[in-house]
Amino acid sequence: MATLASHLAAVTARPSHRLVARSASARHRAVTHRPVTTASSSSSADAADASTSTSAAEALLLSRLESVSKTRGASATPADERAIADAVTALELAGGLERPATREEITGTWRLLYTSKSDFDARNPLGSRVDGTAPGIEGFFTSIFGDDDGRKMAEGVRGSSSPIQRTVTSLEAFTIQQAIRLGSRTGKDDRVDQVVQFGENGHLRLSAAASVDAASSPSRIDFTFDLAYFEIKATPLGPLPFGPVRLPYPVPFRILGDEAKGWLDTTYLGENVRISKGNKGTTFVLVREATDGTGVPLPYEF
């Protein structure tokens, strides 16, 4: 790919030895048709190069995620992880929208394609209790989702540094999304939701009040979890006879204080691709959920 310097050199270069032998009229025509490099054209060339570079970096990252996106990275090998990390870095360096947390483009529904692995922090009760256990939760999950998936989900809650990272990210049949709403008039309605849709069985919603300090941290969304529940429509035995049932998520956010707080730094924001990093060191790659009928809409009004 041509650099900006080589592009400008090509635009402004002219074969002066041939101009000497030309007639005055020929010289006039040559001057008339010679491209003139102005600040405006230089800026346009810069923008075109940047756009091409960014598009190529996005394509590279998405191609490297193809083999692991169904499991959101849980099936990635060490070689996969390194290749994806390199592609993430390349896209971050290519540059996206500036001050991403303050941009309207960050709002909407995003689908999780990839989450990096992070070490389990047993002191974090958002992923498990303080002693690392989750009493009774295995039975809760298996009764709703069956023995196999229920056991995986229970293990995820006990062994995760994040309630959205390990609970269900390896279950291919589920859709994991993040919905962002910012810029409300008072800020009181600003929220970040993590949503896990279990097909026709129901969904899990982890919802947090959100805020952005545009002056000091224009790339960061701060959040505090204050609402979480399962909405169950069916079990392995079939649909619930009396309609959906809402069950509270087994994490007492209200009494956790600072443990219920976190932040999300967006290191790249494009029109349809986003890279964010959480306060626990996890990298997330998301794509905007399609709105043309091919995407998965949120299961509730947001």
Side-chain angles (χ1 to χ4, degrees):
M1 184 181 301
T3 63
L4 177 58
S6 62
H7 175 77
L8 292 178
V11 170
T12 57
R14 67 180 186 274
S16 57
H17 65 282
R18 293 169 62 186
L19 289 176
V20 171
R22 290 179 181 173
S23 66
S25 61
R27 286 198 302 271
H28 175 72
R29 288 195 300 272
V31 171
T32 300
H33 292 92
R34 186 183 305 141
V36 177
T37 302
T38 65
S40 176
S41 64
S42 176
S43 176
S44 297
D46 193 6
D49 267 5
S51 177
T52 301
S53 174
T54 300
S55 297
E58 278 191 4
L60 174 65
L61 175 57
L62 294 177
S63 69
R64 291 187 177 178
L65 291 177
E66 283 183 3
S67 63
V68 301
S69 61
K70 286 186 177 181
T71 62
R72 270 77 60 169
S75 61
T77 65
D80 291 331
E81 291 280 348
R82 289 191 295 272
I84 292 168
D86 288 345
V88 165
T89 300
L91 185 51
E92 291 171 335
L93 292 175
L97 297 173
E98 296 182 354
R99 302 172 60 84
T102 68
R103 303 290 294 255
E104 183 179 354
E105 290 87 346
I106 202 170
T107 61
T109 303
W110 299 81
R111 181 185 294 212
L112 180 67
L113 287 188
Y114 170 81
T115 174
S116 66
K117 295 166 182 162
S118 66
D119 295 331
F120 167 56
D121 181 0
R123 297 168 298 178
N124 175 26
L126 284 181
S128 67
R129 298 188 186 279
V130 175
D131 62 0
T133 64
I137 198 168
E138 290 85 350
F140 172 78
F141 281 126
T142 55
S143 67
I144 297 174
F145 303 107
D147 291 342
D148 228 11
D149 287 351
R151 190 176 300 110
K152 290 180 182 178
M153 294 180 71
E155 289 173 356
V157 171
R158 286 190 290 108
S160 172
S161 62
S162 165
I164 63 169
Q165 183 190 354
R166 291 300 171 211
T167 304
V168 291
T169 51
S170 64
L171 301 180
E172 296 183 21
F174 296 171
T175 299
I176 302 178
Q177 298 163 308
Q178 185 176 82
I180 298 177
R181 183 176 69 210
L182 297 171
S184 63
R185 187 172 60 83
T186 63
K188 293 182 179 180
D189 293 328
D190 292 355
R191 300 198 71 81
V192 174
D193 277 17
Q194 322 294 343
V195 186
V196 182
Q197 298 203 49
F198 314 121
E200 298 299 321
N201 289 340
H203 66 273
L204 163 63
R205 180 186 183 187
L206 293 165
S207 187
S211 63
V212 175
D213 186 337
S216 62
S217 302
S219 297
R220 174 171 295 185
I221 299 174
D222 294 294
F223 60 83
T224 302
F225 286 109
D226 58 8
L227 173 67
Y229 61 82
F230 289 93
E231 184 166 298
I232 308 303
K233 298 179 180 179
T235 73
L237 299 178
L240 298 180
F242 302 107
V245 173
R246 184 172 294 187
L247 302 172
Y249 186 70
V251 175
F253 293 125
R254 293 182 180 179
I255 66 173
L256 290 179
D258 288 345
E259 291 291 348
K261 298 179 180 180
W263 46 259
L264 200 64
D265 274 345
T266 293
T267 55
Y268 174 81
L269 176 63
E271 183 179 352
N272 294 305
V273 178
R274 175 163 63 90
I275 300 172
S276 293
K277 297 183 178 179
N279 53 297
K280 301 183 188 307
T282 307
T283 297
F284 303 94
V285 179
L286 308 97
V287 293
R288 191 177 299 281
E289 190 69 75
T291 58
D292 60 358
T294 62
V296 180
L298 288 178
Y300 55 86
E301 192 71 29
F302 183 64

